[in-house]
Amino acid sequence: MSSAHTARRMFGLTEPICLVTYLADEPNEELAALGHRTYWDGYFASRAAPLGRVPAEVVHAAFYSFADGEAARHIPSAWATVPPEESFAAWRRGSVAALRRILGTELSGSPGVARAADLLTTAATSAPTEGRVMYAGMRTLEIPGDPLTRLWQSATTLREHRGDGHVTALLTERVGGTEAHLLSALGMGIHPPETFGRVHHLPAARLADVMSGLRRRGLVDDDGRLTDAGRDVTARVETLTDELAAPPYAALSDAELDELFAELEPLSAVMSVAWSQ
């Protein structure tokens, strides 16, 4: 199996675990209990926390996919009364609570979870940090002792590593953050792409301007659908993202990777079912 294929397979197995942070109720409840008024206050305060108290401009650059001004609506105000480290701790606590609920007591406390956590942690702490801002921030965090918490944090650390590489791939293809969302929406069969949940709230004029730019580049047609050139660009982005996501897994032997796949598969299957309901 090629290193890029390994990275793609690992993404498929860990993403359903990571999504608990964004789709389950428990993280939002923990953050609201701290005083965060909205989902996005909690999101920006928590995800950006490992970077430290950086300006909104730095968060905007690191997150990449948000429109101009979106980070500034939450940073630094979301940290005014709740320190970044407290927001992150609540985010993690709620995420792990949701994982435990969905997986069930027996599976979440199983030896397989502990072994998967150990192997994921080895991978998550083994890659170079140069050029990986979000990954480097996650690497500064103390590794948790609890296996399920360690599993979540390592999976999330690897997600940020992949995300940093994805930004590099998008920059290589000259695809901006809002453009990336629109192209992704079209790839998922969402039409018109302006209705996609990650961008539908943006001003219509802004979305129209971005779509016009994609048409000028020949990536979407007059009907607002992907052209062959658009499909080629998105395919190259995904291919490069997989290639850049591979380094962490070089720390594991082939036998350890096979073991990790086997331990993650039942966890990923349960989480995938939860998100499909």
Side-chain angles (χ1 to χ4, degrees):
M1 182 185 299
S2 70
S3 58
H5 188 269
T6 294
R8 168 61 62 170
R9 185 173 178 187
M10 284 299 305
F11 175 65
L13 289 171
T14 57
E15 184 67 357
I17 295 170
C18 294
L19 286 178
V20 72
T21 303
Y22 309 101
L23 300 180
D25 292 333
E26 288 90 338
N28 294 331
E29 291 167 355
E30 289 279 357
L31 290 165
L34 287 181
H36 290 299
R37 296 170 298 175
T38 69
Y39 171 88
W40 291 111
D41 274 349
Y43 171 90
F44 277 93
S46 303
R47 187 179 170 214
L51 300 178
R53 289 182 178 271
V54 295
E57 291 84 354
V58 174
V59 175
H60 174 73
F63 284 16
Y64 190 75
S65 60
F66 287 88
D68 290 344
E70 287 193 288
R73 284 200 287 273
H74 308 279
I75 298 296
S77 61
W79 292 333
T81 57
V82 183
E85 59 273 15
E86 289 186 21
S87 292
F88 183 86
W91 204 44
R92 177 174 59 190
R93 188 166 58 248
S95 298
V96 175
L99 272 179
R100 187 169 285 111
R101 170 179 59 81
I102 296 169
L103 293 175
T105 302
E106 182 175 353
L107 185 54
S108 62
S110 68
V113 162
R115 181 58 176 157
D118 289 343
L119 292 170
L120 269 185
T121 299
T122 296
T125 58
S126 297
T129 58
E130 289 83 358
R132 309 271 186 169
V133 175
M134 294 302 298
Y135 173 65
M138 290 294 295
R139 283 282 301 274
T140 67
L141 302 176
E142 183 177 352
I143 296 173
D146 170 64
L148 192 61
T149 306
R150 191 162 66 251
L151 179 81
W152 174 86
Q153 185 164 306
S154 294
T156 300
T157 300
L158 289 165
R159 190 178 197 264
E160 294 292 15
H161 179 278
R162 182 182 179 87
D164 287 331
H166 188 59
V167 169
T168 298
L170 290 170
L171 287 168
T172 299
E173 293 291 339
R174 297 181 296 114
V175 175
T178 304
E179 290 177 327
H181 283 315
L182 292 170
L183 292 175
S184 177
L186 288 169
M188 292 185 287
I190 299 172
H191 189 269
E194 296 94 327
T195 62
F196 182 41
R198 291 296 301 272
V199 297
H200 72 85
H201 62 286
L202 297 178
R206 164 65 177 159
L207 291 173
D209 182 60
V210 175
M211 286 295 289
S212 293
L214 292 173
R215 288 190 181 92
R216 286 194 298 272
R217 292 179 59 187
L219 303 184
V220 300
D221 60 22
D222 290 340
D223 192 37
R225 298 183 185 277
L226 281 178
T227 62
D228 287 342
R231 281 185 284 272
D232 288 345
V233 165
T234 56
R236 288 197 299 270
V237 166
E238 289 305 306
T239 296
L240 183 54
T241 297
D242 287 338
E243 292 172 357
L244 294 175
Y249 306 108
L252 301 177
S253 68
D254 289 345
E256 287 173 325
L257 280 171
D258 287 341
E259 186 180 5
L260 181 55
F261 294 149
E263 299 295 1
L264 285 175
E265 281 171 355
L267 308 178
S268 183
V270 172
M271 299 306 298
S272 296
V273 169
W275 306 138
S276 68
Q277 294 175 343

